Amino acid sequence: MLNYTIRRLMFTIPVLLFISFIIFLLLDLAPNDPTGNLPMTIPPEVREKIRESLGLGQPIHVRYFKWCVQFFVNEPLNIIDQMFGTCTWGCEDRLRVQSWATRSPVVDLIVERMPQTLWVVGMSYVVGILIAIPIGVISAYRQYSWFDQAGTFVSMVGFSVPTFFTGVLMIVIFSVMIPTDSWFWFPSIYDTTHKVTDLASFGFQIRQMAMPVFVLALYNAAQISRFMRASMLDNLNQDYVRTARAKGMRERVVLLVHVLRNSLIPVVTVIALGVPQVFGGAIITEQVFKVNGLGQLLIIGIQGADIPLVQTLTFIFAVLIVLFNLIADILYGILDPRIRYD
Amino acid sequence: MPDGAQPVLDVRDLNTVFQTRGGEVHAVNHVSFDLKKGELLGVVGESGSGKSVTMMSLIGLLPSPPAEVRRGEVLFDGRDLLKMDADSLRDIRGARIGFVFQDPMTSLNPVFTVGFQLREPLMRHMGMNKRQANARAVELLELVGIPDAKQRLKDYPHQFSGGMRQRVMIAIALACDPEVLIADEPTTALDVTIQAQILELVKELRHKLGMAIVWITHDLGVIAGIADRVMVMYGGQVVEQAPVRELFKNPQHPYTAALLETIPHVRGDRAERLKVIEGQPPILGAIPTACPFRHRCPVAFDRCKQENPARMPVGDGHDAACFYDLAKGEPRDA
Ligand SMILES: Nc1ncnc2c1ncn2[C@@H]1O[C@H](COP(=O)(O)OP(=O)(O)O)[C@@H](O)[C@H]1O
Ligand SMILES: [Mg+2]
């Protein structure tokens, strides 16, 4: 297993380099102008100067090479320096990946946005999973019962109604129609500057997270619970379930030990494969609730033709996707003793 | 087996129905039989004749819905298993009545070690802790002839061959020293040589442990070597029942006679062509009011279409459900 992991990790290096190059090429092809958002009064010569100062005059392979050095060498060194307070080689004038729009290092922007995304989107993923697994288990065990029917209906809704609709609907109901002083009122705008210092501010934090988390959790739970249910149904018909019953095991043990353990194998891999989406941020939901997370950062970057920002964010998502694919494979190997990787 | 021995299991007038989209399927009708202490009862019949459903009905292993045990009594140790609540039945299942199923490849849980699956009934029924259960599990694996037992407890089912897995299944079924072992076509999925080894093992264990066994098979050849008594099933009912020698020598039901014909014989240096029984076994939408075998029966006559024959005594410990006397070559009187 360790060998396998190392082999796979080695293999990801060329894959990721290739991906980063493709992203770079694609973004370069896009008809973007980083000076496009500047006031019309700025004359074309000045615009040209600005472009040159951003390094746009150089040929593409040089620019790609520079980005690689900045991202793969300088940024990690910078992180090490910050963590240990050291000053490794060239720390004074080290070139980092700079955002064109804000002129600050892209990685700093990402680090700044990360907590909101992780809290809101990550929490919704966790909540979604925690809801989905019991629902899937019970729906399968009581197939076609009213519980199963209700679960099917709710997940159809969660599946098919887009988050920008449920999100806006929630805002209309809980922020607009309900009076502000009611307990059932929830803020529609996520306040990033809010600091949790005591119980009351913690309560407010929960409140402002509630709606976006609910909207996303509904969507996640809809998918995962269907998957869990299907997996449970597959296993409930297996011969080993009959064997467990023939041994006189209690239904709880049959269901929650024998069947669940088998059913979780594909579900866990699907959950692992879904994690990059959490980091990717729920672009639309973040827009709806004004959560300034990574998804929103990406949108701003695209609108402002902030190529380094978009390039870096996209590449980080790519890394996460490749990484969690590997993690899913490894988890599969751990959970299923029949799988051997070597 | 000595005559008049106490029955450990006494099944009376068992009826099991499946609710399907196409209506009811009466899979088991009026099945009565008993199993004496230490006896090995062979149950034969084509597939679809209701052997498995009968045995699973006894002990509440059929999923309900779609299955429903509609009528009958199953007396075990003086109590009716069909009237028992689910919890008491669970205490008997796996403890006093053990099961071995047909397909050893799928009957064990793939993600738990063999040790775990063996310990489960021991800890559940015998109140053992993990260490005691482990010690007993080693004994059991040795008992069923698995070498290197202690090591193998840590292995997963896929690390065993088919024959070895069936030995594990037998070890699980025997874990709590049951009075009855029900083996549902335990060798059907195995190679002939492995099949012979498993049969040897069961013969040996039977003498060592002395439990009563119900051995289901569709192969009369297997039954001949091990059974004391044979029950033949067709169309969800018992059509003939006799001590094994008697049944082979003197079959009284045309279906049994036809089954015996299908056993391949080797005469001289030329193997006979395999005989088959023409036609299909019935799927029963209702309790049959005529003999279910009549369409395939060479000696069927008018009465067979009007009445479903009940089992009637035809010899010493021998009964058959047929209006026709095969020996005399004419309908029975009355
Ligand atoms: N789950 C089920 N749903 C409907 N009918 C069933 C089901 N299981 C078994 N049956 C019916 O019961 C009959 C007997 O099946 P079974 O006892 O498995 O036969 P066998 O003698 O081969 O063990 C079958 O022919 C089928 O019609
Ligand atoms: Mg069967």
Side-chain angles (χ1 to χ4, degrees), chain B residues 239-277:
Chain B
V239 294
E240 183 162 11
Q241 180 274 123
V244 66
R245 287 256 184 99
E246 165 79 3
L247 188 97
F248 276 78
K249 215 167 55 199
N250 183 22
Q252 287 291 324
H253 195 284
Y255 178 63
T256 315
L259 272 184
L260 287 172
E261 296 267 298
T262 62
I263 304 177
H265 295 280
V266 183
R267 293 236 177 85
D269 50 10
R270 184 170 65 96
E272 250 181 284
R273 271 194 62 175
L274 260 176
K275 293 217 178 75
V276 290
I277 310 176

Side-chain angles (χ1 to χ4, degrees), chain B residues 80-114:
Chain B
D80 186 353
L81 297 184
L82 298 184
K83 294 212 175 63
M84 224 176 241
D85 61 282
D87 276 332
S88 320
L89 201 54
R90 260 195 283 278
D91 288 339
I92 290 178
R93 250 185 347 231
R96 305 181 62 188
I97 301 181
F99 277 85
V100 178
F101 297 105
Q102 176 169 343
D103 194 349
M105 304 315 247
T106 55
S107 291
L108 290 165
N109 192 327
V111 301
F112 293 110
T113 62
V114 160

Side-chain angles (χ1 to χ4, degrees), chain B residues 27 67 93 138 147 199 306 323:
Chain B
R93 250 185 347 231
V138 173
L199 283 173
Q306 288 147 12
F323 294 129

Side-chain angles (χ1 to χ4, degrees), chain A residues 239 243 245-248 258 262, chain B residues 106-107 109 117 120 124-125:
Chain A
D239 287 349
T243 306
R245 292 199 173 116
K247 289 198 287 190
H258 286 265
N262 278 280
Chain B
T106 55
S107 291
N109 192 327
Q117 298 183 60
E120 266 192 315
R124 157 91 172 83
H125 297 295

